[in-house]
Structures are given as C-alpha cells and as structure tokens.
Amino acid sequence: QVRVVESGGGLVQPGGSLRLSCAASGSIFRLSAMGWYRRGPGKQRELVAAMTSTGTTNYADSVKGRFTISRENDKNTVYLQMNRLKPEDTAVYYCNLVVTSTNYWGQGTQVTVSS
C-alpha cells in the first residue's frame, strides 16, 4: 500500500556531507511519524532521527547537531541531511514511515565514511 524508497547513500570522507532522500508513494492517509534508522556493522539497529506530524523532532545524541531530518510536504519526501560525518556513522540507513499505526520501511541505503 505504501512504498518507501531511500537514495543518496555513498562513500564519503570524514567531515563530508550527504543528504539521504526517502520517497514515499501510495495511500498515505495519515502520516503519523517519519524517521531514519541505521544499523552499523556488528551493531543493533538504532533510531537516528524522527519527526512527528506536528513537527516534533528527536535525534540520537551521537548525531545531534550534525544531522537534520526534514520533510517536503508537497512531494511526500523525507530527507536526512548529514554533516560532519564520522567513520562511526558508517551504516545502512533505513527510512521509516508510520502511516496510522503501520510501519513502512525502505530497502536501506549504504553510507560509508572512510578515508
């Protein structure tokens, strides 16, 4: 019913920037929340950034001040701007949309931060 596709991942050097995009399509009756998760090598999946439909945001302490989640309302697109990237940010990043009470996930996009 709802399709979520991430893009924008890649290989960057420490200190660099990337902007991840999450394009949503389908029957989005009520978008309750949106978020970005990541799973690094040998690590548990963790919440990176989230935004409710009212605009409230939440960030992991490890990315606060460096990452910004935003939404382009007229295009059903969610972004994650990542600045001053660190090697420990290396992970597969997943977009998550909550429509009503159902979670929809993208396929993930690889972000690698290395010299």
Side-chain angles (χ1 to χ4, degrees):
Q1 190 174 60
V2 176
R3 186 183 180 219
V4 180
V5 180
E6 304 103 330
S7 63
L11 174 65
V12 296
Q13 292 188 328
S17 297
L18 282 175
R19 188 177 76 161
L20 306 183
S21 298
C22 175
S25 62
S27 300
I28 306 176
F29 301 106
R30 180 179 176 85
L31 184 58
S32 299
M34 64 207 77
W36 289 92
Y37 290 74
R38 70 184 181 188
R39 178 172 250 137
K43 300 179 180 179
Q44 306 263 23
R45 185 178 67 182
E46 65 173 342
L47 175 67
V48 177
M51 176 183 286
T52 69
S53 60
T54 60
T56 302
T57 58
N58 180 257
Y59 296 91
D61 288 340
S62 60
V63 307
K64 191 173 297 183
R66 299 188 297 119
F67 291 10
T68 303
I69 186 171
S70 62
R71 178 188 180 187
E72 192 168 358
N73 290 318
D74 59 344
K75 298 188 71 174
N76 293 321
T77 303
V78 182
Y79 302 100
L80 182 68
Q81 179 66 47
M82 306 186 295
N83 299 322
R84 303 188 302 280
L85 284 160
K86 305 175 180 179
E88 48 263 46
D89 294 319
T90 296
V92 178
Y93 284 72
Y94 300 90
C95 180
N96 169 244
L97 302 180
V98 182
V99 181
T100 310
S101 61
T102 303
N103 285 273
Y104 296 91
W105 295 89
Q107 80 287 351
T109 184
Q110 175 71 232
V111 172
T112 302
V113 185
S114 176
S115 298

